[in-house]
Amino acid sequence: MIETKPPQALTLFELIGREWTLEQPVTALAFNAKGSALACVQADGALALLAVADAEHPEQRIRMELETGRSTIRPREKPLPPPVVTAPLRPEAGLCAWDDQGFAVAGPEETLWRVTARGQCLLLEKQGVAPVSALCALRGGGVAVARGGELSLATPDGLAPRLRCGLPGTVERLAVSPDGRRLAAWGDGRVTVLQTETLEAETTLEAPGEAACLDWSPDGRWLAAGCTDRALTLVDLDAGAADRIADFPASVGALGFSRKAGALVAAGAFRVVAWKTPDLPFGDHPGTPLDTGRPGVTLVDCVAPHPSRDLCAAGYANGLVVLSPLGQRDELMLIEGRGAAVTALAWSPDGLHLAAGFADGRAAIATFPKIMFK
C-alpha cells in the first residue's frame, strides 16, 4: 500500500503574499509615490523593480461558505511575473520617489538618474560639485539632492535646480517634514533645518551620531535618527536641544513615527522599542514606553509603522516578520523565519501592501485583504 501524506495547511503569507528570489541580497526598499511599483536595492547596486498590482489579488480569491458563513481564500494558481532589473547604480547614496511613477537614484561618480516603474534609466544630472550623498522626495513632487555640503531642490518637470545653498560638512541624510515646509539635513554631527520654499536655514543644532535613518514626528516637533553606533538621537526642535539614547544591543538601522498610535518605534533590540509621543525620553525624563510585541532572543533589525493604522511591522535577524498593534503584546506572524535576516521593510503609501527584503536575496510583498483590518 502506498502511504500518502496529508496536505499541509498553507501559511498566511502563502495565501496573501508573493515572493521573488533575486540574484543579490536586498539592502533597501522603496515604493513609488503612486504605490504601483516597488524598487528593491540589491547589494551590487542594481534595482529590481516589482509591479505591485496583483493578477490574483487576495480579494478576488476570497469565498464565503454559504452553510457556515466562514470566509476562505484559495491558493494562487499562476506564476509571478519576473522582476525588471536595471544596471548597477549607486542607490546606497540615495533612492526616493520621483514624480508619481518613478524613482530618483544616485549613480556612479556625480550622476543622478531617474528610473521608471518599468526599469528605464534616464540621466537627470551628468555632473555636479560632488557625488550625490543624500536624496529625499519632497511633498507635492520634486526632490532634494545633497552633494556633500551643497543642497539643491529640483521640481519633477525640470532638470535645473530651482534653489541651491551650501552647508558645512557632508549631508548624509535628508528628511522632509510632514507638512512639507521644512527639510532636515543631517551630517557631520549636526542637523540643519531649512525652509523648503527658500532654503533659508531656521536652526542648526549639534546632533552626534552617524545616522542610518531619519524621521520627523507628525507634529514637526521631533527629529529622530537611528545611529550606527547603537544609539538613537532625538532632537527637540521646540527646545533647541538634542539627546542620545545609547547602548542599544545593535545598530538602530530603522525607526519611524506612527501618527495613528502616537508613537516612536525603533529597531536594534530584542523586541520592538516604542515610546508614546510627545512624551519621549529626553535628558533625565524616561518618557512613556509602549510594550509592543513579545521579547525574545533574536534581534529586531527592521521596523515599519503602518501609515494609517496603529500597527507596526517588525523584521528579525532570523527572517521572521510579524505585525503587532502598538502598545500591545499581541503578534501576528506574517513570514516565518528561514535563517536569512530581514534587511528592509516598507509599507505602500495606502497601507495595503507590506514589502520585505532579505539577506538571501528574497523580496516579498504581502497584500492585505480589507477583511483582515476589520
Side-chain angles (χ1 to χ4, degrees):
M1 180 181 293
I2 299 176
E3 183 179 353
T4 60
K5 296 182 179 180
Q8 292 184 343
L10 295 177
T11 66
L12 174 63
F13 178 75
E14 288 172 329
L15 291 172
I16 68 170
R18 292 166 283 168
E19 183 178 278
W20 294 260
T21 299
L22 308 180
E23 296 182 356
Q24 298 282 330
V26 177
T27 60
L29 298 168
F31 283 94
N32 62 2
K34 283 289 187 183
S36 63
L38 174 71
C40 306
V41 178
Q42 299 186 95
D44 64 354
L47 299 183
L49 296 162
L50 305 175
V52 176
D54 188 354
E56 292 185 278
H57 195 286
E59 297 281 3
Q60 300 171 352
R61 294 183 281 116
I62 292 177
R63 297 291 184 271
M64 181 175 290
E65 297 179 0
L66 296 178
E67 295 181 357
T68 64
R70 186 177 62 179
S71 296
T72 60
I73 181 170
R74 67 168 175 80
R76 292 182 177 276
E77 299 175 348
K78 301 176 183 178
L80 297 175
V84 176
V85 181
T86 71
L89 296 166
R90 203 167 54 86
E92 70 279 1
L95 170 69
C96 68
W98 175 274
D99 61 41
D100 286 341
Q101 302 288 345
F103 302 89
V105 58
E109 298 178 347
E110 299 176 358
T111 58
L112 177 65
W113 293 79
R114 176 193 175 194
V115 178
T116 70
R118 296 185 177 181
Q120 184 181 10
C121 296
L122 306 171
L123 186 61
L124 290 174
E125 292 181 6
K126 186 176 181 180
Q127 60 186 5
V129 296
V132 174
S133 58
L135 283 174
C136 175
L138 300 174
R139 299 290 186 269
V143 293
V145 183
R147 295 177 176 273
E150 182 185 273
L151 180 62
S152 61
L153 304 184
T155 56
D157 55 355
L159 303 185
R162 64 179 179 87
L163 292 172
R164 194 189 306 268
C165 73
L167 296 173
T170 297
V171 177
E172 301 161 358
R173 297 288 168 186
L174 291 168
V176 67
S177 63
D179 61 9
R181 297 178 180 179
R182 293 185 292 173
L183 181 69
W186 189 294
D188 284 354
R190 66 178 65 87
V191 60
T192 300
V193 177
L194 309 101
Q195 298 177 4
T196 54
E197 285 299 316
T198 62
L199 276 189
E200 180 182 350
E202 291 184 357
T203 185
T204 297
L205 298 170
E206 296 297 316
E210 183 178 343
C213 50
L214 182 63
D215 196 23
W216 287 80
S217 64
D219 61 3
R221 172 184 171 182
W222 297 93
L223 278 169
C227 300
T228 57
D229 59 351
R230 300 189 300 124
L232 187 156
T233 299
L234 283 172
V235 179
D236 185 343
L237 294 174
D238 287 354
D243 194 20
R244 278 166 62 82
I245 305 168
D247 298 326
F248 275 70
S251 298
V252 185
L255 55 71
F257 285 92
S258 168
R259 178 183 294 273
K260 179 67 175 181
L264 169 63
V265 298
F270 292 99
R271 71 182 305 171
V272 174
V273 178
W275 294 275
K276 188 70 176 175
T277 57
D279 193 29
L280 299 178
F282 203 84
D284 295 330
H285 180 63
T288 301
L290 293 175
D291 288 342
T292 300
R294 302 167 189 165
V297 296
T298 306
L299 283 166
V300 176
D301 284 342
C302 299
V303 292
H306 192 279
S308 59
R309 298 184 180 272
D310 60 350
L311 293 174
C312 178
Y316 287 78
N318 62 0
L320 176 69
V321 178
V322 301
L323 297 180
S324 298
L326 282 160
Q328 300 181 35
R329 298 191 177 188
D330 296 336
E331 287 184 345
L332 173 66
M333 185 180 73
L334 180 62
I335 302 177
E336 187 176 358
R338 302 184 200 171
V342 182
T343 53
L345 290 172
W347 288 97
S348 60
D350 59 11
L352 297 179
H353 310 274
L354 175 67
F358 298 86
D360 61 0
R362 284 179 293 136
I365 300 177
T367 298
F368 297 93
K370 295 177 182 178
I371 194 173
M372 286 191 65
F373 289 141
K374 284 186 176 180

